């Protein structure tokens, strides 16, 4: 039977909520006018149509399947805190409440993970579905559910699905979301029931966007068409271990053949058996390929939580009570992900009214709509945060195809095959055959460009004859069944360091840096994850699938993964830097760390606060999250100011840098000019020398043909246009490029500083000549964008955030995009800055990734913790809670985070009671 209600819907927004409510009413007026004008999307929408999907937040609702009543208490921002008397009731209510706020988002996500987007959006999504079906995320998720997950996890997943389906029962699409009303005009799509596997599959999407160095692997291969080995090495420098500290600094990991210092000062011995040691990193000498086809396929895939693998980062750090005002730890976290509307995160609390064997959870934090439990947050005893470790968990293999099989060590092995049928809204279904090797699915079957890769790949003389070309397969840890879903529930109820580490052992993909603090005063770090060991090769370049010496040989044992516990320094910082010094650890985790710019800045900020016995407060942690300091500006500005500039307009801009404190505030003219100079330095020194596959789509250059030797003249050059999306192109200006420039900054005659003449500019031969040209180009670029009067310039006018609904807000009719999207916001911060509002220097200044949430947990008084989300709790476009946290987030403020029942009651605006039938 459908859920029954005894009260009407009601919401009581706070001050910010009322402000957003006025904005929502304005949009409703616009919507009604659009309908009256006959320009609505294929039909007539009314105010009642829009409001039909708003959730009921007060009164009572009867749900079949509950064993007892459940209270859902929402604060003035619509953030729910759920109180139940059993685990199953708690997670069933979670499913119901998340579906109230976010079901359309959940539905799109599950169609993405299962390769069924065409069922919702038609033929435009068939290519994406083919690729996603080839990888088979939902098949792996089903196998995990059937064979890997614990009975209790399955029980919780079933309860969650039951709650989602209780919400769906008796509802048409228009009753669920405005987007379904729009889709209803296009096709006959109707939402289906939720399944436990739908929740498990979402972890595959998260793992895909956090997959490690595949994009670097592709880019290095693409560079071989124009750059030599030393030039490519220049652009991928070694991690600066001597300057930027690693996460784990004392070599903590368990081993049986050597002794290593543990966090408590004791030593341990254990096994280091296995292969794939760091010293065994010999890559095949000439195995580089032009992988533009693969990159184009990856670029077109919808993102789940990141920017298709580029720019993914995060900050987290924890400070022990020895250095805090409260005498107990403080823990901060802000994951950097693609901006999306609604935010990828969903805030909520899950509370057992009485903790017992049948009701074990009292946890609050951030989760994903579509998944039970809490991903990042705290319970009554511990807090934890996550950042991407960057572990290399994907390898591309070239495969020698022979008839119905592929070659390994001179013998032909048959493919494993399966048939996949893709249903298409408004069109004919399409059937594909997926072929797999022992290394993984054959991605080259899905794209003509990938076939060209196999035709062009450069290999050594020992390689088998390519015939019509080599295939390309993918080996990825997430394509093997695991039990990460178990880890979510184990983390949520862990009460101490031992239970936390035990829980992390189940967190196999994606590999994340986990930081820890508890109410007893302990702090810690653990690297979890299924991280492969390799025979030959280090994963930095595509490997020859026909040679079994390049196979994976196993995984680093959990006991041998680095950790840290109560380090003497009294704090731990993780911000995508190297986990541990390569000379202190026998395994290769990755060859592509972040370069430690943010982590070292955070470390310096902590050290500056605690020197001479200083203490850190919750407010100090918040201020650190907002640090806008540009590390590359500190390196370059002193040199830029020494350059003689004749043009008075350029000199006027140069003077902006005099006395600048390197802070990238939204109102800073100096930040605007410097970042434009930096962008132009990168373009002149590096970007114009990269192959077209890495440059911005549509930006064309006259370049010398690849086989041309010596300096090119106008008759020798050809027009070559870039092929990559602006937010994915190189050089992106991140801290890898900081390191590239740092390494050559004092070599004033380095070849990278040479750039050819154009119709308007003379050639450059030295660093300062290139810098002068970049300063001039920046002056006139900003004149075009911001006006000639530099008094009107500011960074925020360039550096803007637009929030877009990730489906109809991107590809729908203009009126629908107008109704679903929001922005812009003028933001402080920048690339590789602690306040990491990232932008791509090759493509422009717009914000392409953000701190997707921010939190500071106070282990001395959990009710004094703080949090914020990028958008709001609701996915309904005209809800008061659609973007009611965004203004506060943009200002760098945090909301109170109530945890105890008393604090939750004091902050509650609406209470909904879910009752058993």
């Amino acid at each position: 039977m459908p859920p029954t209600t005894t009260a009407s819907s009601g919401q009581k927004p706070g001050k910010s909520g009322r402000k957003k409510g006025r904005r929502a009413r304005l949009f409703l007026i616009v919507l009604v006018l659009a309908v009256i004008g006959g320009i609505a999307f294929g039909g007539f929408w009314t105010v009642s149509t829009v409001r039909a999907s708003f959730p009921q937040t007060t009164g009572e609702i009867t749900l079949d399947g509950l064993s007892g009543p459940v209270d859902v208490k929402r604060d003035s921002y619509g953030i729910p805190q759920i109180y139940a008397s059993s685990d199953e009731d708690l997670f069933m209510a979670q499913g119901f409440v998340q579906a109230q706020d976010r079901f359309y988002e959940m539905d799109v996500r599950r169609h993405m993970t299962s390769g069924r987007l065409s069922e919702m959006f038609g033929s435009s999504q068939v290519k994406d579905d083919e690729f996603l079906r080839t990888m088979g995320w939902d098949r792996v998720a089903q196998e995990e559910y059937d064979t890997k997950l614990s009975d209790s996890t399955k029980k919780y997943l079933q309860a969650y699905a039951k709650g989602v389906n209780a919400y769906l029962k008796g509802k048409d699409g228009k009753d669920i979301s405005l987007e379904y009303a729009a889709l209803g005009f296009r096709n006959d799509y109707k939402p289906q029931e939720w399944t436990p596997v739908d929740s498990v599959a979402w972890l595959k999407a998260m793992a895909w966007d956090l997959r490690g160095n595949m994009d670097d692997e592709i880019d290095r291969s693409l560079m071989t068409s124009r750059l030599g080995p030393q030039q490519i090495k220049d652009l991928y420098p070694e991690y600066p271990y001597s300057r930027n500290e690693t996460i784990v600094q004392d070599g903590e990991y368990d081993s049986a053949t050597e002794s290593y210092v543990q966090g408590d000062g004791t030593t341990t011995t254990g096994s280091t058996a296995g292969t794939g040691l760091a010293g065994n990193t010999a890559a095949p000498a000439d195995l580089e390929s032009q992988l533009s086809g693969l990159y184009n396929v990856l670029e077109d895939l919808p993102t789940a939580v990141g920017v298709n693998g580029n720019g993914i980062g995060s900050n987290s750090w924890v400070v022990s009570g020895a250095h805090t005002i409260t005498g107990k730890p403080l823990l901060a976290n802000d994951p950097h992900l693609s901006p999306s509307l609604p935010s990828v995160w969903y805030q909520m609390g899950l509370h057992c009214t009485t903790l017992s064997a049948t009701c074990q959870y009292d946890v609050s934090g951030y989760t994903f709509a579509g998944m039970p439990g809490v991903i990042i947050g705290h319970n009554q005893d511990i807090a934890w945060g996550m950042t991407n470790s960057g572990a290399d968990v994907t390898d591309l293999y070239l495969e020698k195809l022979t008839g119905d099989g592929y070659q390994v060590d001179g013998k032909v092995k048959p493919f494993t095959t399966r048939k996949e049928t893709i249903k298409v809204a408004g069109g004919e279904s399409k059937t594909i055959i997926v072929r797999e090797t022992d290394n993984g699915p054959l991605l080259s079957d899905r794209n003509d460009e990938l076939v060209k890769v196999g035709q062009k790949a450069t290999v050594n003389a020992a390689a088998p004859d390519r015939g019509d070309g080599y295939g390309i397969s993918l080996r990825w840890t997430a394509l093997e069944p695991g039990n990460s879903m178990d880890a979510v529930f184990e983390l949520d109820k862990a009460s101490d360091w031992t239970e936390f580490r035990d829980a992390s052992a189940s967190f196999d993909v994606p590999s994340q840096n986990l930081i820890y603090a508890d109410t007893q005063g302990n702090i810690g770090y653990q690297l979890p994850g299924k991280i492969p060991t390799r025979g030959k090769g280090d994963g930095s370049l595509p490997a020859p699938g026909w040679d079994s010496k390049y196979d994976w040989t196993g995984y680093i044992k959990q006991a041998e993964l680095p950790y840290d516990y109560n380090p003497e320094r009294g704090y731990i910082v993780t911000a995508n830097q190297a986990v541990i010094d390569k000379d202190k650890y026998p395994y290769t985790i990755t060859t592509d760390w972040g370069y430690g710019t943010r982590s070292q800045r955070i470390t310096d900020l902590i050290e500056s606060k605690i020197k001479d016995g200083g203490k850190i407060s919750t407010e100090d942690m918040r201020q650190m999250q907002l640090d806008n300091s540009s590390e590359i500006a500190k390196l370059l500005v002193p040199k830029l100011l020494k350059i003689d500039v004749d043009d008075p307009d350029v000199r006027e801009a140069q003077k902006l840098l005099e006395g600048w404190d390197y802070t990238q505030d939204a109102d800073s003219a100096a930040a605007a000019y410097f970042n434009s100079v930096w962008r132009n330095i990168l373009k002149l020194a590096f970007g114009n020398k990269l192959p077209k596959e890495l440059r911005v789509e549509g930006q064309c250059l006259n370049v010398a043909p690849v086989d041309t030797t010596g300096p090119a003249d106008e008759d020798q050059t050809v027009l070559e246009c870039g092929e990559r999306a602006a937010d994915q192109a190189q050089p992106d200006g991140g801290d890898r490029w900081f390191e590239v420039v740092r390494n050559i900054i004092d070599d004033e005659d380095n070849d990278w500083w040479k750039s050819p003449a154009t119709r308007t500019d003379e050639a450059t031969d030295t660093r300062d000549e290139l810098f002068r040209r970049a300063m001039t180009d920046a002056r006139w670029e900003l004149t075009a964008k911001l006006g000639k009067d530099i008094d009107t310039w500011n960074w925020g006018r360039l550096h803007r955030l637009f929030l877009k609904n990730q489906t109809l807000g991107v590809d729908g009719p203009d009126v629908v995009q107008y109704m679903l999207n929001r922005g812009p916001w003028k933001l402080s911060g920048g690339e590789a800055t602690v306040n990491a509002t990232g932008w791509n220097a090759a493509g422009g200044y717009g914000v392409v990734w953000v701190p997707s949430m921010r939190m500071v947990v106070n282990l001395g008084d959990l009710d004094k913790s703080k949090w914020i989300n990028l958008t709001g709790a609701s996915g309904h476009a005209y809800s008061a809670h659609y973007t009611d946290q965004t203004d506060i987030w943009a200002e760098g403020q945090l909301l109170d985070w109530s945890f105890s029942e008393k604090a939750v009651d004091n902050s509650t605006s609406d209470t909904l009671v879910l009752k058993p039938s």
Side-chain angles (χ1 to χ4, degrees), residues 205-394:
M206 185 172 76
W208 177 250
D209 280 352
L210 303 173
R211 62 189 176 270
N213 75 333
M214 182 190 291
D215 293 331
D216 287 323
E217 185 176 342
I218 293 170
D219 284 357
R220 275 189 290 265
S221 297
L222 289 169
M223 287 178 183
T224 62
S225 66
R226 286 211 168 268
L227 303 179
Q230 183 56 50
Q231 290 173 309
I232 295 173
K233 186 176 180 180
D234 288 347
L235 302 186
Y236 287 89
E238 287 286 321
Y239 183 88
Y241 290 99
S242 62
R243 187 176 70 253
N244 294 342
E245 293 180 354
T246 59
I247 297 172
V248 176
Q249 297 175 29
D250 298 316
E252 292 96 332
Y253 67 96
D254 296 335
S255 165
T257 58
E258 298 183 47
S259 297
Y260 291 86
V261 178
Q262 305 304 300
D264 58 5
T266 63
T267 60
T268 186
T269 57
S271 174
T272 56
T275 59
L277 301 185
N280 186 12
T281 57
D286 298 312
L287 192 61
E288 294 99 10
S289 55
Q290 298 180 38
L291 292 168
S292 58
L294 178 55
Y295 198 100
N296 290 339
V297 172
L298 303 182
E299 177 183 283
D300 289 341
L301 288 179
T303 59
V305 299
V307 194
N308 279 333
N310 276 345
I312 299 298
S314 298
N315 301 322
S316 69
W317 66 96
V318 60
V319 181
S320 75
H323 300 308
T324 68
I325 289 175
T326 65
K328 290 293 178 71
L330 294 169
L331 184 150
N333 195 189
D334 55 288
H336 308 153
L337 304 171
S338 288
S340 60
L341 185 59
S343 166
V344 68
W345 298 109
Y346 185 92
Q347 298 154 285
M348 70 187 322
L350 302 170
H351 308 278
C352 289
T353 51
T354 302
L355 289 172
S356 66
T358 57
C359 200
Q360 306 169 77
Y361 295 90
D362 187 17
V363 61
S364 183
Y366 297 84
T367 189
F368 301 120
M371 272 184 60
V374 166
I375 304 299
I376 294 174
H378 70 83
N379 59 29
Q380 70 277 19
D381 297 310
I382 74 168
W384 66 96
M386 297 184 189
T387 63
N388 193 22
S389 73
D392 184 359
V393 296
T394 58

Side-chain angles (χ1 to χ4, degrees), residues 52-296:
S53 59
F54 286 11
Q56 178 179 335
T57 59
T58 62
E60 297 180 352
I61 297 178
T62 299
L63 299 183
D64 287 339
L66 288 176
S67 63
V70 177
D71 290 339
V72 181
K73 301 177 181 181
R74 293 178 183 259
D75 66 11
S76 60
Y77 290 90
I79 300 170
Q81 303 282 342
I82 299 174
Y83 290 83
S85 298
S86 72
D87 292 335
E88 291 92 327
D89 284 356
L90 195 62
F91 295 118
M92 181 178 175
Q94 183 182 15
F96 181 86
V97 170
Q98 287 191 339
Q100 281 188 305
D101 284 332
R102 300 276 193 97
F103 182 76
Y104 174 76
E105 174 193 5
M106 294 163 58
D107 200 17
V108 171
R109 284 179 175 176
R110 67 166 165 174
H111 278 78
M112 179 183 71
T113 58
S114 60
R116 293 167 47 224
L117 289 167
S118 301
E119 294 179 15
M120 296 185 75
F121 304 109
S123 59
S124 66
Q125 300 300 312
V126 169
K127 288 293 184 183
D128 287 344
D129 283 347
E130 289 180 7
F131 195 82
L132 291 163
R133 291 286 185 97
T134 298
M135 286 195 286
W137 294 351
D138 61 329
R139 295 177 65 256
V140 180
Q142 183 70 59
E143 189 173 351
E144 286 183 0
Y145 182 79
D146 292 340
T147 66
K148 291 289 187 178
L149 299 181
S150 69
D151 290 341
S152 61
T153 293
K154 291 181 182 179
K155 182 170 59 176
Y156 301 153
L157 288 165
Q158 292 163 3
Y160 181 90
K162 188 187 301 182
V164 175
N165 294 328
Y167 167 77
L168 293 176
K169 189 175 292 185
K171 289 184 173 64
D172 293 326
K174 69 179 186 306
D175 302 321
I176 298 171
S177 170
L178 180 64
E179 289 91 336
Y180 287 122
L183 285 177
F185 297 128
R186 180 183 294 181
N187 58 55
D188 295 327
Y189 174 79
K190 298 184 184 304
Q192 299 173 339
E193 285 197 344
W194 193 262
T195 73
V197 175
D198 292 334
S199 296
V200 179
W202 174 240
L203 282 171
K204 301 302 173 187
M206 185 172 76
W208 177 250
D209 280 352
L210 303 173
R211 62 189 176 270
N213 75 333
M214 182 190 291
D215 293 331
D216 287 323
E217 185 176 342
I218 293 170
D219 284 357
R220 275 189 290 265
S221 297
L222 289 169
M223 287 178 183
T224 62
S225 66
R226 286 211 168 268
L227 303 179
Q230 183 56 50
Q231 290 173 309
I232 295 173
K233 186 176 180 180
D234 288 347
L235 302 186
Y236 287 89
E238 287 286 321
Y239 183 88
Y241 290 99
S242 62
R243 187 176 70 253
N244 294 342
E245 293 180 354
T246 59
I247 297 172
V248 176
Q249 297 175 29
D250 298 316
E252 292 96 332
Y253 67 96
D254 296 335
S255 165
T257 58
E258 298 183 47
S259 297
Y260 291 86
V261 178
Q262 305 304 300
D264 58 5
T266 63
T267 60
T268 186
T269 57
S271 174
T272 56
T275 59
L277 301 185
N280 186 12
T281 57
D286 298 312
L287 192 61
E288 294 99 10
S289 55
Q290 298 180 38
L291 292 168
S292 58
L294 178 55
Y295 198 100
N296 290 339

Side-chain angles (χ1 to χ4, degrees), residues 114-116 129-130 132-139 417-423 429-434 436 446:
S114 60
R116 293 167 47 224
D129 283 347
E130 289 180 7
L132 291 163
R133 291 286 185 97
T134 298
M135 286 195 286
W137 294 351
D138 61 329
R139 295 177 65 256
T417 62
R418 68 177 189 274
K419 183 183 295 186
E420 296 278 352
T421 300
I422 299 169
K423 297 179 181 178
S429 296
K430 181 174 183 179
T431 298
I432 63 172
I433 302 297
V434 176
E436 294 189 2
R446 299 283 77 85

Side-chain angles (χ1 to χ4, degrees), residues 25 75 92 111 123 181 229 251 263 382 405 426 439 514 522 601 614 638 706 715 719 762 766 792-793 841 868 871 885:
R25 286 193 292 275
D75 66 11
M92 181 178 175
H111 278 78
S123 59
I382 74 168
N439 292 317
L514 295 178
N522 302 299
R601 176 62 178 170
V706 174
D715 293 334
L719 188 67
E762 295 181 356
T766 67
T792 67
W793 291 4
I868 196 73
T871 60
Q885 297 185 52

Side-chain angles (χ1 to χ4, degrees), residues 5 105 110 265 386 400 418 437 452 476 521 550 582 584 626 660 670 687 740 750 763 801 807 809 843 853:
T5 66
E105 174 193 5
R110 67 166 165 174
M386 297 184 189
K400 168 58 180 173
R418 68 177 189 274
T437 73
K452 295 177 185 178
W476 178 33
Y550 290 88
K582 64 180 181 179
K584 296 182 178 179
L626 303 180
W660 180 42
V740 169
N750 190 285
L801 169 67
T807 55
M853 63 80 158

Side-chain angles (χ1 to χ4, degrees), residues 451-674:
V451 175
K452 295 177 185 178
V453 172
Q455 294 170 344
K456 297 178 180 180
T458 302
V459 294
N460 58 32
D465 178 70
R466 78 178 67 235
D468 293 331
Y470 302 124
I472 298 175
S473 63
L474 170 68
R475 182 97 192 247
W476 178 33
T477 54
L479 296 183
E480 301 173 14
N483 57 341
S484 291
M485 200 69 231
D486 286 340
V488 174
F489 298 109
E490 292 167 3
L491 282 173
D492 284 357
K493 64 180 181 180
S495 62
D496 57 29
W497 171 246
T498 299
E499 291 182 359
F500 172 80
R501 286 197 77 198
D502 289 345
S504 73
S506 299
F507 203 77
D508 45 21
V509 290
S511 176
Q512 298 288 286
N513 295 312
L514 295 178
I515 60 166
Y516 167 93
D518 63 37
T519 56
Q520 300 303 306
N522 302 299
I523 65 172
Y525 162 84
Q526 175 68 57
L527 175 67
K530 186 183 287 185
I531 301 174
T533 57
R534 297 167 174 87
K536 293 182 67 176
D538 61 2
S540 62
L541 290 169
W546 52 80
D547 187 345
S548 63
K549 294 184 181 68
Y550 290 88
D551 288 353
W552 289 4
T553 57
Y555 300 97
I556 302 174
K557 296 177 181 178
Q558 171 68 21
E560 296 175 335
L561 290 170
Y563 69 93
D564 210 347
Y565 186 61
N566 289 334
E568 185 177 350
R569 64 188 180 277
Y571 61 86
I572 302 169
V573 176
T574 87
N576 318 114
Q577 79 271 41
V579 169
I580 191 168
D581 194 308
K582 64 180 181 179
D583 294 330
K584 296 182 178 179
Y585 192 63
Y587 297 103
T588 297
I589 296 173
T590 185
T591 59
D592 292 297
W593 305 109
Y595 282 79
T597 301
R598 282 179 287 109
S599 61
Q600 193 58 43
R601 176 62 178 170
I602 295 166
T603 296
D604 292 345
L605 289 170
I606 293 171
E607 287 286 351
S608 69
K609 292 293 296 185
I610 66 176
K611 68 179 180 180
D612 302 323
K615 302 293 184 180
I616 293 176
S617 68
T618 301
E619 175 62 13
D620 292 329
M621 300 283 275
R622 183 189 73 86
Q623 291 285 356
M624 291 178 194
Q625 289 179 325
L626 303 180
D627 183 77
N628 293 319
S629 178
S630 170
E631 297 304 299
I632 191 62
K634 294 176 184 177
L635 177 69
L636 293 183
V637 166
K639 300 185 185 303
L640 295 173
L641 289 174
K642 291 179 181 178
I643 296 174
D644 291 331
V645 176
D646 295 329
D647 187 317
D649 291 313
V650 180
R651 172 59 184 147
E652 181 185 29
Q654 183 188 35
K655 289 174 68 175
L656 289 172
L657 304 179
E658 296 177 357
W660 180 42
D661 64 357
Y662 313 121
T663 298
Q664 300 170 97
D665 293 333
D667 61 1
S668 170
Y673 181 60
F674 171 77

